[in-house]
Amino acid sequence: MNSLVTIRMALATFMGITLTLIVGTTLYTTMIALGQEQYSFVTQWGSTGTGFGTFKQPLEITVDQDDNVYVTDFTSVSNKVQKFTNNGTFLTSWGTLGFGPALFTSPSGIGVSSSGNVYVADFGSPDTAVQEFTNEGTFLRMWGSFGLGDGQFINPGGLTVDSSDNVYVGDFGENNRIQKFDSEGNLLTKWGTPGTGDGQFINPAGLAADSSNNIYVVDGGNNRVQKFDSEGNFITKWGTPGSGDGQFTRPGDIAVDSEGNTYVTDQGNNRVQKFDSEGNFITKWGSKGSGEGQFIDPLGITLDTSGNVYVVDGGNSRVQVFAPS
């Protein structure tokens, strides 16, 4: 390598070190937990605002088959979905405040089907819970209403789409359950009740589906993750309250890679933790702050086709991208 390489080493707030490498004009930051896998900072985008490429309260994130990135902005000031390239170049956005087609009160969970259509859960709307759009934001359909019955929601939040294009939506508050729909919004099944037992939830947050259509649910109020098959049968769980490895303080969202490993945003601990599919701890990165690889309230998380990890850094109004190294 002919380029001058400068290496600066500093202690991080977790049990490891941070390496910053400057190669020419390119900066790479690697968070290393000693004896564990490593994830390197790649890029970031976003700032506080309501214009294109800025965020007021970014919440959830997903990618499509072409690695385009979609981010929901939760507040009543913004109320939109924004679409970016995988390096943060703004492409398009849609949504304004209101009730009805292509209108949102608090867009939250988001997922993409195999055909590239985008499903968005609307946390605050009394008229609908889920809306479906093309990947350019053209409205297609919507379903759901406020209530306790089948296909109804109190607070629809987390959303994921499985390989068969079934849509799973978490509902926290009085319902504390997961509902499964086909791609046109017909209810297929549901599971969950309020509580701390297996298959029970206190404010289920992020959802993710793996290649076998197992469903992972961030059970936020219980500081744990629960894993189910596609029909809602309980498989396993992991997590307890705290700041140690495998512990959580207000976990927010979850993503699954092609090997079945899971990535969980640990909001209260300002970090990301990685586990295998059975919940065995693998690695972690992040600390509180506004620097590269630091977070203030990390929320949504997703992965692209190359295994890069995208994290919604809510308190810093930005998206950060990390790569395995």
PDB file of all heavy atoms in Angstrom, residues 84-103:
ATOM      1  N   PHE A  84     -33.281   6.131  -0.204  1.00  0.00           N
ATOM      2  CA  PHE A  84     -31.899   6.508  -0.489  1.00  0.00           C
ATOM      3  C   PHE A  84     -31.188   5.367  -1.227  1.00  0.00           C
ATOM      4  O   PHE A  84     -31.618   4.213  -1.161  1.00  0.00           O
ATOM      5  CB  PHE A  84     -31.128   6.777   0.811  1.00  0.00           C
ATOM      6  CG  PHE A  84     -31.726   7.816   1.701  1.00  0.00           C
ATOM      7  CD1 PHE A  84     -32.686   7.479   2.644  1.00  0.00           C
ATOM      8  CD2 PHE A  84     -31.326   9.140   1.616  1.00  0.00           C
ATOM      9  CE1 PHE A  84     -33.234   8.435   3.492  1.00  0.00           C
ATOM     10  CE2 PHE A  84     -31.871  10.104   2.450  1.00  0.00           C
ATOM     11  CZ  PHE A  84     -32.827   9.751   3.393  1.00  0.00           C
ATOM     12  N   THR A  85     -30.079   5.691  -1.876  1.00  0.00           N
ATOM     13  CA  THR A  85     -29.156   4.649  -2.304  1.00  0.00           C
ATOM     14  C   THR A  85     -28.441   4.118  -1.063  1.00  0.00           C
ATOM     15  O   THR A  85     -28.558   4.673   0.024  1.00  0.00           O
ATOM     16  CB  THR A  85     -28.118   5.187  -3.294  1.00  0.00           C
ATOM     17  OG1 THR A  85     -27.278   6.145  -2.607  1.00  0.00           O
ATOM     18  CG2 THR A  85     -28.781   5.864  -4.484  1.00  0.00           C
ATOM     19  N   ASN A  86     -27.648   3.060  -1.247  1.00  0.00           N
ATOM     20  CA  ASN A  86     -26.986   2.482  -0.083  1.00  0.00           C
ATOM     21  C   ASN A  86     -25.837   3.332   0.462  1.00  0.00           C
ATOM     22  O   ASN A  86     -25.289   3.029   1.518  1.00  0.00           O
ATOM     23  CB  ASN A  86     -26.503   1.062  -0.378  1.00  0.00           C
ATOM     24  CG  ASN A  86     -25.487   0.990  -1.494  1.00  0.00           C
ATOM     25  OD1 ASN A  86     -25.156   2.000  -2.125  1.00  0.00           O
ATOM     26  ND2 ASN A  86     -24.998  -0.202  -1.765  1.00  0.00           N
ATOM     27  N   ASN A  87     -25.478   4.399  -0.240  1.00  0.00           N
ATOM     28  CA  ASN A  87     -24.475   5.320   0.309  1.00  0.00           C
ATOM     29  C   ASN A  87     -25.088   6.638   0.775  1.00  0.00           C
ATOM     30  O   ASN A  87     -24.376   7.587   1.077  1.00  0.00           O
ATOM     31  CB  ASN A  87     -23.356   5.575  -0.703  1.00  0.00           C
ATOM     32  CG  ASN A  87     -23.846   6.266  -1.964  1.00  0.00           C
ATOM     33  OD1 ASN A  87     -25.017   6.652  -2.048  1.00  0.00           O
ATOM     34  ND2 ASN A  87     -22.971   6.426  -2.937  1.00  0.00           N
ATOM     35  N   GLY A  88     -26.430   6.683   0.823  1.00  0.00           N
ATOM     36  CA  GLY A  88     -27.107   7.827   1.406  1.00  0.00           C
ATOM     37  C   GLY A  88     -27.559   8.897   0.444  1.00  0.00           C
ATOM     38  O   GLY A  88     -28.045   9.948   0.879  1.00  0.00           O
ATOM     39  N   THR A  89     -27.427   8.665  -0.862  1.00  0.00           N
ATOM     40  CA  THR A  89     -27.928   9.645  -1.825  1.00  0.00           C
ATOM     41  C   THR A  89     -29.450   9.615  -1.847  1.00  0.00           C
ATOM     42  O   THR A  89     -30.052   8.556  -2.053  1.00  0.00           O
ATOM     43  CB  THR A  89     -27.384   9.352  -3.233  1.00  0.00           C
ATOM     44  OG1 THR A  89     -25.958   9.395  -3.201  1.00  0.00           O
ATOM     45  CG2 THR A  89     -27.906  10.357  -4.243  1.00  0.00           C
ATOM     46  N   PHE A  90     -30.078  10.764  -1.633  1.00  0.00           N
ATOM     47  CA  PHE A  90     -31.543  10.839  -1.604  1.00  0.00           C
ATOM     48  C   PHE A  90     -32.127  10.528  -2.976  1.00  0.00           C
ATOM     49  O   PHE A  90     -31.661  11.038  -3.996  1.00  0.00           O
ATOM     50  CB  PHE A  90     -31.984  12.231  -1.152  1.00  0.00           C
ATOM     51  CG  PHE A  90     -33.470  12.448  -1.217  1.00  0.00           C
ATOM     52  CD1 PHE A  90     -34.294  12.000  -0.210  1.00  0.00           C
ATOM     53  CD2 PHE A  90     -34.045  13.093  -2.312  1.00  0.00           C
ATOM     54  CE1 PHE A  90     -35.671  12.188  -0.268  1.00  0.00           C
ATOM     55  CE2 PHE A  90     -35.414  13.285  -2.387  1.00  0.00           C
ATOM     56  CZ  PHE A  90     -36.236  12.837  -1.358  1.00  0.00           C
ATOM     57  N   LEU A  91     -33.183   9.694  -3.002  1.00  0.00           N
ATOM     58  CA  LEU A  91     -33.844   9.324  -4.255  1.00  0.00           C
ATOM     59  C   LEU A  91     -35.254   9.883  -4.340  1.00  0.00           C
ATOM     60  O   LEU A  91     -35.609  10.530  -5.317  1.00  0.00           O
ATOM     61  CB  LEU A  91     -33.874   7.798  -4.400  1.00  0.00           C
ATOM     62  CG  LEU A  91     -32.523   7.104  -4.550  1.00  0.00           C
ATOM     63  CD1 LEU A  91     -32.707   5.590  -4.565  1.00  0.00           C
ATOM     64  CD2 LEU A  91     -31.821   7.561  -5.825  1.00  0.00           C
ATOM     65  N   THR A  92     -36.075   9.625  -3.333  1.00  0.00           N
ATOM     66  CA  THR A  92     -37.455  10.119  -3.360  1.00  0.00           C
ATOM     67  C   THR A  92     -38.045  10.022  -1.957  1.00  0.00           C
ATOM     68  O   THR A  92     -37.439   9.447  -1.051  1.00  0.00           O
ATOM     69  CB  THR A  92     -38.320   9.324  -4.354  1.00  0.00           C
ATOM     70  OG1 THR A  92     -39.584   9.984  -4.530  1.00  0.00           O
ATOM     71  CG2 THR A  92     -38.579   7.907  -3.883  1.00  0.00           C
ATOM     72  N   SER A  93     -39.229  10.593  -1.780  1.00  0.00           N
ATOM     73  CA  SER A  93     -39.941  10.472  -0.512  1.00  0.00           C
ATOM     74  C   SER A  93     -41.432  10.551  -0.789  1.00  0.00           C
ATOM     75  O   SER A  93     -41.863  11.019  -1.845  1.00  0.00           O
ATOM     76  CB  SER A  93     -39.522  11.577   0.462  1.00  0.00           C
ATOM     77  OG  SER A  93     -39.984  12.841   0.046  1.00  0.00           O
ATOM     78  N   TRP A  94     -42.213  10.084   0.169  1.00  0.00           N
ATOM     79  CA  TRP A  94     -43.665  10.223   0.046  1.00  0.00           C
ATOM     80  C   TRP A  94     -44.300  10.244   1.427  1.00  0.00           C
ATOM     81  O   TRP A  94     -43.733   9.770   2.404  1.00  0.00           O
ATOM     82  CB  TRP A  94     -44.268   9.104  -0.806  1.00  0.00           C
ATOM     83  CG  TRP A  94     -44.179   7.711  -0.272  1.00  0.00           C
ATOM     84  CD1 TRP A  94     -45.070   7.073   0.546  1.00  0.00           C
ATOM     85  CD2 TRP A  94     -43.148   6.746  -0.548  1.00  0.00           C
ATOM     86  NE1 TRP A  94     -44.662   5.789   0.799  1.00  0.00           N
ATOM     87  CE2 TRP A  94     -43.499   5.560   0.139  1.00  0.00           C
ATOM     88  CE3 TRP A  94     -41.981   6.766  -1.310  1.00  0.00           C
ATOM     89  CZ2 TRP A  94     -42.703   4.411   0.093  1.00  0.00           C
ATOM     90  CZ3 TRP A  94     -41.185   5.634  -1.359  1.00  0.00           C
ATOM     91  CH2 TRP A  94     -41.541   4.470  -0.668  1.00  0.00           C
ATOM     92  N   GLY A  95     -45.509  10.843   1.482  1.00  0.00           N
ATOM     93  CA  GLY A  95     -46.282  10.919   2.707  1.00  0.00           C
ATOM     94  C   GLY A  95     -46.361  12.325   3.271  1.00  0.00           C
ATOM     95  O   GLY A  95     -45.379  13.069   3.270  1.00  0.00           O
ATOM     96  N   THR A  96     -47.538  12.707   3.741  1.00  0.00           N
ATOM     97  CA  THR A  96     -47.754  13.944   4.480  1.00  0.00           C
ATOM     98  C   THR A  96     -48.729  13.649   5.613  1.00  0.00           C
ATOM     99  O   THR A  96     -49.310  12.561   5.690  1.00  0.00           O
ATOM    100  CB  THR A  96     -48.320  15.066   3.594  1.00  0.00           C
ATOM    101  OG1 THR A  96     -49.533  14.590   2.963  1.00  0.00           O
ATOM    102  CG2 THR A  96     -47.332  15.471   2.519  1.00  0.00           C
ATOM    103  N   LEU A  97     -48.945  14.619   6.481  1.00  0.00           N
ATOM    104  CA  LEU A  97     -49.789  14.426   7.649  1.00  0.00           C
ATOM    105  C   LEU A  97     -51.255  14.307   7.246  1.00  0.00           C
ATOM    106  O   LEU A  97     -51.773  15.114   6.472  1.00  0.00           O
ATOM    107  CB  LEU A  97     -49.619  15.599   8.615  1.00  0.00           C
ATOM    108  CG  LEU A  97     -50.481  15.579   9.879  1.00  0.00           C
ATOM    109  CD1 LEU A  97     -50.142  14.380  10.744  1.00  0.00           C
ATOM    110  CD2 LEU A  97     -50.302  16.881  10.662  1.00  0.00           C
ATOM    111  N   GLY A  98     -51.924  13.275   7.795  1.00  0.00           N
ATOM    112  CA  GLY A  98     -53.347  13.117   7.555  1.00  0.00           C
ATOM    113  C   GLY A  98     -53.787  11.680   7.674  1.00  0.00           C
ATOM    114  O   GLY A  98     -52.994  10.784   7.983  1.00  0.00           O
ATOM    115  N   PHE A  99     -55.075  11.447   7.405  1.00  0.00           N
ATOM    116  CA  PHE A  99     -55.668  10.119   7.450  1.00  0.00           C
ATOM    117  C   PHE A  99     -56.075   9.720   6.041  1.00  0.00           C
ATOM    118  O   PHE A  99     -56.731  10.489   5.343  1.00  0.00           O
ATOM    119  CB  PHE A  99     -56.896  10.092   8.363  1.00  0.00           C
ATOM    120  CG  PHE A  99     -56.624  10.585   9.762  1.00  0.00           C
ATOM    121  CD1 PHE A  99     -57.505  11.469  10.372  1.00  0.00           C
ATOM    122  CD2 PHE A  99     -55.515  10.162  10.463  1.00  0.00           C
ATOM    123  CE1 PHE A  99     -57.269  11.928  11.663  1.00  0.00           C
ATOM    124  CE2 PHE A  99     -55.270  10.607  11.750  1.00  0.00           C
ATOM    125  CZ  PHE A  99     -56.157  11.487  12.351  1.00  0.00           C
ATOM    126  N   GLY A 100     -55.700   8.513   5.630  1.00  0.00           N
ATOM    127  CA  GLY A 100     -56.116   8.038   4.326  1.00  0.00           C
ATOM    128  C   GLY A 100     -54.942   7.643   3.462  1.00  0.00           C
ATOM    129  O   GLY A 100     -53.785   7.605   3.913  1.00  0.00           O
ATOM    130  N   PRO A 101     -55.193   7.319   2.190  1.00  0.00           N
ATOM    131  CA  PRO A 101     -54.139   6.838   1.298  1.00  0.00           C
ATOM    132  C   PRO A 101     -52.970   7.807   1.201  1.00  0.00           C
ATOM    133  O   PRO A 101     -53.153   9.003   0.976  1.00  0.00           O
ATOM    134  CB  PRO A 101     -54.870   6.695  -0.043  1.00  0.00           C
ATOM    135  CG  PRO A 101     -56.299   6.504   0.307  1.00  0.00           C
ATOM    136  CD  PRO A 101     -56.522   7.330   1.533  1.00  0.00           C
ATOM    137  N   ALA A 102     -51.756   7.254   1.372  1.00  0.00           N
ATOM    138  CA  ALA A 102     -50.496   8.003   1.253  1.00  0.00           C
ATOM    139  C   ALA A 102     -50.381   9.127   2.272  1.00  0.00           C
ATOM    140  O   ALA A 102     -49.568  10.029   2.106  1.00  0.00           O
ATOM    141  CB  ALA A 102     -50.310   8.540  -0.157  1.00  0.00           C
ATOM    142  N   LEU A 103     -51.187   9.079   3.326  1.00  0.00           N
ATOM    143  CA  LEU A 103     -51.095  10.038   4.429  1.00  0.00           C
ATOM    144  C   LEU A 103     -50.738   9.275   5.696  1.00  0.00           C
ATOM    145  O   LEU A 103     -51.173   8.142   5.897  1.00  0.00           O
ATOM    146  CB  LEU A 103     -52.420  10.780   4.617  1.00  0.00           C
ATOM    147  CG  LEU A 103     -52.958  11.553   3.408  1.00  0.00           C
ATOM    148  CD1 LEU A 103     -54.342  12.114   3.715  1.00  0.00           C
ATOM    149  CD2 LEU A 103     -51.997  12.672   3.026  1.00  0.00           C
TER     150      LEU A 103
END
